[in-house]
Amino acid sequence: IMLDNYETVLRRYMEALGASDYATIKSLFAEDGSVTSPFLGLMPAGDFFDRLGGATRGNVITPIDVFLPSGDQQHAVAYFRYDWTVNDGTLITFNVMDLFEFRSGTDKVGALNLIYDTHPIRQTAGNKYES
């Protein structure tokens, strides 16, 4: 049953990210959930998504795959293409694998690790989290 829940959470996350619906995204996390980002490091999930929302004009998410755990592991991966339009209108496109770690016995995300190559983004766009 948890595998179905994990997949539902990952798909809701991708849908909400595509809709720039950060309130829904934050609701998927445990109260003390965290995000680790290549650009911003380790942050509370709420702070991270507030920061992302503040830097974003629009998101288009193209799901590629969802990877579910084998055995009793409590993590899953959403793999998608992210077309991110930042506030100055720059479009940044990259593939990302978001590694979700779930709280034991729940479908709440305890930790999210964003895994992507920052080199092409830095080359074309610099650090777009800065205003």
Side-chain angles (χ1 to χ4, degrees):
I1 288 197
M2 273 308 179
L3 290 182
D4 290 341
N5 291 355
Y6 290 175
E7 182 170 3
T8 298
V9 169
L10 270 59
R11 296 203 181 276
R12 283 187 66 206
Y13 170 82
M14 288 188 283
E15 288 169 15
L17 186 58
S20 299
D21 180 358
Y22 301 103
T24 293
I25 293 171
K26 291 190 280 187
S27 77
L28 301 175
F29 283 78
E31 197 172 310
D32 61 345
S34 65
V35 175
T36 302
S37 154
F39 276 110
L40 299 177
L42 177 63
M43 296 179 70
D47 293 349
F48 174 82
F49 288 107
D50 289 344
R51 185 101 178 255
L52 179 61
T56 300
R57 182 180 292 178
N59 298 315
V60 176
I61 302 303
T62 306
I64 298 170
D65 209 344
V66 168
F67 300 94
L68 298 173
S70 58
D72 59 357
Q73 300 298 315
Q74 293 172 337
H75 54 253
V77 174
Y79 179 36
F80 55 93
R81 177 176 141 165
Y82 190 179
D83 292 290
W84 181 34
T85 303
V86 296
N87 283 332
D88 69 6
T90 304
L91 173 63
I92 303 168
T93 297
F94 56 102
N95 287 353
V96 59
M97 298 188 87
D98 283 3
L99 172 62
F100 293 75
E101 296 180 32
F102 291 89
R103 284 290 154 78
S104 183
T106 77
D107 61 0
K108 289 294 186 183
V109 180
L112 174 60
N113 190 353
L114 311 181
I115 304 166
Y116 58 90
D117 180 6
T118 63
H119 185 261
I121 299 165
R122 284 182 285 115
Q123 265 193 322
T124 59
N127 183 355
K128 291 301 180 180
Y129 287 99
E130 300 303 321
S131 306

